[in-house]
Amino acid sequence: MAKVPVTVARGDGIGPEIMDATLHILKAAGAELEYDFVNLGEKVFKSGIMNGIEPAAWESIRRTRLLFKAPITTPQGGGYKSVNVTMRKAFGQFANVRPVRTFDGFVHSKHANVDMVIVRENEESLYAGIEYRQTRDTCHAVKLISRTGTELIVRYAFEYARANGRKKVTCLIKDNIMKVTDGLFHQVFQLIGAEYPDIQKDSLIVDIGMARIADTPEKFDVIVTENLYGDIVSDIASQVAGSVGLAGSMNIGTGCAMFEAVHGSAPDISGKGIANPSGLINAAVLMLYHIGQGECAAKIGNALLYTLESGQHTADIVKKGEKALSTMEFAEAVVKNLGKSPKNLTPFASGSGKPVKLPRAEDTTQSVRTKRLTGVDVFIDFDDADAADLGKRLNQCGLSSLMLQSVSSRGMEMFNPKKPDVKPDVDAVTDLWACRFMGPEGDITNADIRAILHNIEAAGLEWVKIENLYTFDHVAGFSGKGAE
Ligand code: NAI
Ligand code: MG
């Protein structure tokens, strides 16, 4: 097998100690890797490079597209940028992957037999942090979901499942409420999922899904979800499993995949040779699966589990009265156990032996045949609670081709021009009003919208933003009235 080039950063604090231990195991296990060592972290930050990545590291990562990284220390204050955030942006790392498992019998956890992997979309959703404040009272955030981004993450989740010998992928969404955004995510999950008949599929509404993960985590396998849900569910799952200290994680991108332990550089114990290398070893296992060296991955993973099971532990998890192994002694123990499998813990499967196939961003949106502009929501800053007054004034602003259909606040209709004297059951409490104008004949034009905005201004009202209302192949691309 040809050796796979990989960029290695030994990191700060305990980084070099656990990296040396891990490389020792990789060598003994026969991993086909060729290392290119670079500097990331403290030294680089201190040389004045604000993102902590030296020029040679960029070159190396661009070449190998694989980064195996020990934890680094981010200096406090002073405008330093997180290496991980820089990497995520520079290399389009669309997936954050976090395996969560229990080590029953030696790391305390509330549940047993947990062995799941959370595949979190990393670039979109509410977590993209696109936010606005346009009135005194209200702020809003944009939840951006693209078909392309969703296809990437969903396809990755299925490819990951296949390459790692996993059986089921569960999608977490809230499409009963967010029919457009989460609806798209769910629809793409079902569409792409159909291409993987060998993998079971399951979708859960995110709240009950998370409740079940907290209650019966052992029933989950691979989970794929949007950015914010993924952030939350990763923490719930790790907490439930109680093994954060031993976990590895990876960020997968079109430009570079990055593998690391979940923990930091532990400056309090650095230089003592007592750190637990298991988190980084697990990250190495993830990397080997990723590049198709599944057999070697399983060999190392199972030797690690066997070692842990047999009571050989580093100081952080050693049982009372037992002798703690040093970082290197632990690595030696793992090396001695290569070829052995755990007796109680769920063993690692050797998977397909093929590298995880990285999906390409493909433009599948061309299958949409018709896109039609059918209306507009004009948002008005109006801090008087009299919805009928606002509604009647806006009604005058309509055109024969684009008429007021409703005025709502926080998604609730407060005025309907067909029933102008019916009072809403609730009072308006905010100053942001969504005023929906629809074309009675169907299609409208941008010129109609400009005319409406002009009329609104002439009526002395302040519009703060608009959202155009389109249909795609006759399906409404917006929520609320007129969408059904
Ligand atoms: P930390 O994870 O480094 O340490 C938290 C506690 O866990 C400490 O008591 C430490 O001794 C212990 N610990 C961590 N890893 C251990 C191991 N392998 N074996 C035994 N004990 C271990 O988190 P902390 O203290 O918040 O951060 C320290 C530094 O690490 C900071 O500069 C932080 O920015 C950085 N960090 C880097 C990360 C990365 O490179 N991906 C991730 C998290 C933190
Ligand atoms: Mg988080």
Side-chain angles (χ1 to χ4, degrees):
M1 202 189 288
K3 286 193 187 243
V4 176
V6 48
T7 305
V8 177
R10 294 172 78 242
D12 305 315
I14 58 169
E17 301 162 44
I18 58 175
M19 182 56 87
D20 288 346
T22 306
L23 295 181
H24 177 62
I25 297 167
L26 283 166
K27 186 170 181 207
E32 297 289 344
L33 299 168
E34 189 180 282
Y35 305 123
D36 188 15
F37 290 93
V38 299
N39 287 312
L40 292 183
E42 211 169 13
K43 238 193 285 172
V44 186
F45 281 119
K46 288 196 171 147
S47 78
I49 298 174
M50 300 311 277
N51 59 24
I53 307 167
E54 62 173 4
W58 284 109
E59 277 166 42
S60 176
I61 296 165
R62 288 209 174 93
R63 183 172 59 79
T64 65
R65 292 165 164 261
L66 274 187
L67 173 62
F68 186 39
K69 169 176 169 283
I72 61 173
T73 302
T74 308
Q76 293 286 312
Y80 298 107
K81 284 193 204 144
S82 146
V83 169
N84 284 23
V85 173
T86 306
M87 290 282 168
R88 195 176 72 216
K89 291 190 174 155
F91 296 112
Q93 290 173 342
F94 60 86
N96 176 260
V97 184
R98 234 212 245 188
V100 175
R101 63 170 300 160
T102 48
F103 300 89
D104 307 325
F106 83 97
V107 176
H108 175 75
S109 63
K110 295 194 174 103
H111 297 270
N113 285 320
V114 180
D115 185 13
M116 69 177 127
V117 180
I118 293 152
V119 178
R120 163 185 172 189
E121 201 287 322
N122 220 10
E123 296 179 303
E124 302 191 345
S125 172
L126 271 176
Y127 216 88
I130 308 165
E131 300 185 302
Y132 302 98
R133 176 178 173 189
Q134 288 151 337
T135 69
R136 287 168 190 80
D137 194 38
T138 53
C139 315
H140 62 266
V142 173
K143 174 161 177 167
L144 187 151
I145 302 284
S146 74
R147 176 173 279 271
T148 311
T150 308
E151 287 205 15
L152 270 180
I153 193 71
V154 168
R155 216 175 263 289
Y156 176 79
F158 279 103
E159 290 293 338
Y160 175 90
R162 203 176 251 178
N164 288 271
R166 300 234 165 216
K167 301 203 164 45
K168 187 166 86 177
V169 179
T170 303
C171 172
L172 298 182
I173 22 75
K174 187 83 183 175
D175 61 340
N176 53 337
I177 302 297
M178 284 160 279
K179 298 187 173 89
V180 181
T181 48
D182 284 28
L184 174 62
F185 197 93
H186 196 185
Q187 190 198 348
V188 168
F189 176 76
Q190 286 168 328
L191 234 121
I192 304 270
E195 294 176 29
Y196 297 83
D198 48 322
I199 311 274
Q200 296 167 39
K201 286 143 287 253
D202 191 11
S203 307
L204 287 173
I205 299 294
V206 63
D207 42 4
I208 188 66
M210 290 202 198
R212 292 221 184 118
I213 289 167
D215 187 46
T216 49
E218 66 281 359
K219 291 201 176 143
F220 289 85
D221 197 347
V222 176
I223 290 166
V224 65
T225 192
E226 294 165 17
N227 207 343
L228 179 62
Y229 303 154
D231 181 41
I232 299 167
V233 79
S234 298
D235 278 12
I236 293 178
S238 314
Q239 185 77 23
V240 163
S243 58
V244 189
L246 308 188
S249 83
M250 55 184 177
N251 282 314
I252 301 296
T254 41
C256 160
M258 181 176 92
F259 303 81
E260 63 180 346
V262 168
H263 63 73
S265 59
D268 51 333
I269 56 163
S270 99
K272 296 182 180 160
I274 59 169
N276 188 344
S278 299
L280 196 61
I281 297 170
N282 274 317
V285 170
L286 288 173
M287 179 168 71
L288 290 171
Y289 277 119
H290 178 77
I291 59 177
Q293 298 185 24
E295 218 166 293
C296 186
K299 191 166 152 192
I300 293 176
N302 287 330
L304 173 65
L305 295 180
Y306 184 93
T307 308
L308 293 172
E309 261 186 356
S310 64
Q312 295 165 281
H313 295 159
T314 44
D316 52 321
I317 56 169
V318 77
K319 289 210 176 85
K320 251 195 187 152
E322 282 174 15
K323 181 185 164 289
L325 300 185
S326 73
T327 307
M328 251 330 179
E329 283 166 349
F330 183 80
E332 286 296 352
V334 174
V335 166
K336 278 208 192 87
N337 293 329
L338 285 169
K340 293 183 182 148
S341 271
K343 293 196 180 75
N344 303 304
L345 298 171
T346 318
F348 286 84
S350 60
S352 68
K354 288 193 190 128
V356 181
K357 207 166 102 203
L358 265 196
R360 281 177 181 281
E362 277 172 45
D363 183 5
T364 52
T365 56
Q366 297 305 324
S367 63
V368 173
R369 288 181 305 278
T370 61
K371 173 187 174 187
R372 294 165 57 194
L373 182 57
T374 58
V376 65
D377 277 354
V378 181
F379 290 79
I380 309 263
D381 181 346
F382 182 75
D383 63 7
D384 180 341
D386 190 346
D389 171 42
L390 176 64
K392 283 170 190 166
R393 283 165 74 185
L394 282 165
N395 212 11
Q396 305 295 317
C397 301
L399 314 169
S400 60
S401 57
L402 188 53
M403 292 158 70
L404 185 68
Q405 192 197 47
S406 69
V407 175
S408 55
S409 164
R410 296 193 297 178
M412 263 165 336
E413 184 172 274
M414 306 302 285
F415 175 80
N416 184 328
K418 291 206 179 102
K419 302 170 233 164
D421 298 316
V422 176
K423 281 210 173 345
D425 294 330
V426 287
D427 289 333
V429 296
T430 81
D431 54 8
L432 183 67
W433 299 78
C435 310
R436 177 157 294 183
F437 292 86
M438 296 293 282
E441 306 293 325
D443 293 14
I444 63 155
T445 64
N446 279 345
D448 293 330
I449 295 175
R450 284 198 302 277
I452 292 273
L453 295 177
H454 177 84
N455 292 347
I456 287 172
E457 287 163 33
L461 293 167
E462 182 194 356
W463 63 271
V464 294
K465 71 158 186 163
I466 65 169
E467 295 283 358
N468 291 1
L469 310 177
Y470 293 97
T471 62
F472 295 84
D473 293 337
H474 308 290
V475 177
F478 52 92
S479 58
K481 234 184 175 178
E484 286 80 29

